[in-house]
Amino acid sequence: MLNYINPFKWIIFVFLLIGCGLNKPRPYGATMQEKEQILKDSLHFTNIVWQDSIYNFGTISQEEDVNAQYRFRNTGRYPLFLVKVTASCGCTIPEYEEKPIEPGGESFIKVTLKTKQQYEEVHKYITVETNTTGTRLHTLVLEGRVKGCCK
């Protein structure tokens, strides 16, 4: 004889399975659709103050990589989102937390420059897209001089 299973128990079981999957955090911040919505919501744009926007690493050899940090503060009334951070070339690697920075909060963007293929004067640019008033695009500069191994 087959055991009778209450259909309400099945319904509760299915909802539990679905609900557990919905509460998982996304590992990489906001989705593209959420980022597009953030940029459309101009009523909640905020302000940013860069404490460092130009980093001059001086003169180094090609065997040394450069690690720079660009610090900033959210001086507005709404959360600050770094929607997109891109470098001018593949030798420049930006890293940042994708969580929003609350009003009054501070954070930074870490940038690594691989100097193996670089020589002489170096000027790299990092573009940061944010939900800020005035301009959404901010440019960070990484500059210096790389001495070649045989020059």
Side-chain angles (χ1 to χ4, degrees), residues 45-48 80-81 130-138:
F45 276 15
T46 190
N47 297 304
I48 189 171
L80 171 66
F81 292 90
T130 64
N131 65 319
T132 50
T133 57
T135 183
R136 293 186 336 208
L137 298 177
H138 306 268

Side-chain angles (χ1 to χ4, degrees), residues 9-23:
K9 288 183 181 178
W10 278 106
I11 292 171
I12 291 171
F13 178 72
V14 169
F15 279 116
L16 284 174
L17 284 176
I18 292 172
C20 290
L22 293 177
N23 292 327

Side-chain angles (χ1 to χ4, degrees), residues 87-93 112-115 117-118 122 124:
S88 58
C89 73
C91 62
T92 309
I93 305 156
T112 302
L113 171 66
K114 303 291 185 181
T115 61
Q117 301 296 322
Q118 304 296 316
V122 175
K124 303 297 178 183

